[in-house]
Amino acid sequence: MDFDGVNVAEAWAEAARAVPRERFVPAVALLGVLPGSPTSWIDRDLDPEGWWRAVRSNAAIAVQLDDGVLDIEDKPAAPFAVATSSCSAPSLVFSMLDLLSADKGDVVLEIGTGTGWTAGLLAARLGPDNVVSVEIDPAVAARARSNLRSVGLAPSVIVGDGALGHPERAPYDRVHVTCGVTRIPYEWVRQSKPGGVIVLPWMPGWQTGHVARLTVVDGVATGRFHGPSGFMLMRAQRPPEVPITGEPRESVSTLDPHDFASAPEGLALTIAGLLPDVRGRAAAHSDGTLHVAVRHGDSHALAVFPPDAPEADVTQRGPRDLWDELEDAVHRWNAWNRPGPDRFGLTVTPDGQYVWLDSPDTPVRT
């Protein structure tokens, strides 16, 4: 199948033909991952042409809402529902498979089976016996097995916590991760062969995520970033909702709002390195203002940049002065001559993980 604007590398073309995406998209699903719009629903029975356009598009298709609490077949009018399982956008699927560089004979551990499409692509190329896919949701795993059987494939689909990997089949040549992670479980490194490759969507919490390709040497995984990505977070790593308390503290900021509005990836990686586990997002509002929100635990900051104004109004609450910390990170990035994402990397050790600039020997730390 040809996807809109997607270049499928020759190495994966045969697998793409053998494992067509339509076998992994249910009759009723959601184009994209935002259930607020009624026009986002696709229905094979009511609108087969629209359903096929969605399947052929380069868009993610949500197949589960709120961990299955809401039945997606009912097309619930729930604007605050959250998509919790999807068939990923083809361009992202095939670009990550290219980065994985898996070849005949390689044994692959996949984290997050989802619809089973990526597990099927891996199984078609490497052989079903060489693919182990771990899915935390039993209902999602059952549907994935059914989808895979429909194309004549039966890789191992294990119900379990993907953060633990699957040590029974270790060591693996490759680890392919299809859910976002903030903290990379060391078990994935431990269960990789020397020279093994881990490809994952790293989502530290600032704006979008980043595809990382890590190579394992002497029990340490290190590598660089390969473009932005957006995935659903691993369930165990979803940030808890903690109430914000304390009196508001008002101030002003003279940061350049364009740095946030354009969301340069190099700035995002600087913030991720200096402010681990701090979440943030910039959003333009209909009145022309830009709102930048920052959150960590019971601390919160909000800056509102009026259009064409030299200063933003800032409100901070909680024990941390998050906006002050963010301003310091932006100043550091500017002092480094605003490095782009190609200069950053990530390293995972038994003691934790860190972002680095230019070399693993120069970590980005406060």
Side-chain angles (χ1 to χ4, degrees), residues 1 34 64 107 116 132 149 152 159 179 204-205 223 234-235 237 256 278 289 352:
M1 172 184 285
L34 298 175
Q64 186 193 64
V107 178
V132 178
R149 285 195 298 269
V159 175
C179 58
M234 177 178 281
R235 292 189 185 184
Q237 295 194 9
D256 186 349
V278 170
T289 60

Side-chain angles (χ1 to χ4, degrees), residues 181-183 201-210 225 233 268-269 271-273 275-280 353 355:
V181 289
T182 300
R183 292 283 171 178
W202 187 55
M203 298 182 64
W206 184 260
Q207 293 285 94
T208 186
H210 317 269
F225 298 103
L233 274 175
L269 290 167
I271 294 169
L275 305 177
D277 301 320
V278 170
R279 293 176 285 149
Q353 64 186 35
V355 177

Side-chain angles (χ1 to χ4, degrees), residues 8-32:
V8 179
E10 185 59 34
W12 291 100
E14 184 177 347
R17 290 189 292 269
V19 187
R21 193 187 192 203
E22 64 264 27
R23 297 292 187 90
F24 297 82
V25 177
V28 176
L30 193 68
L31 184 60

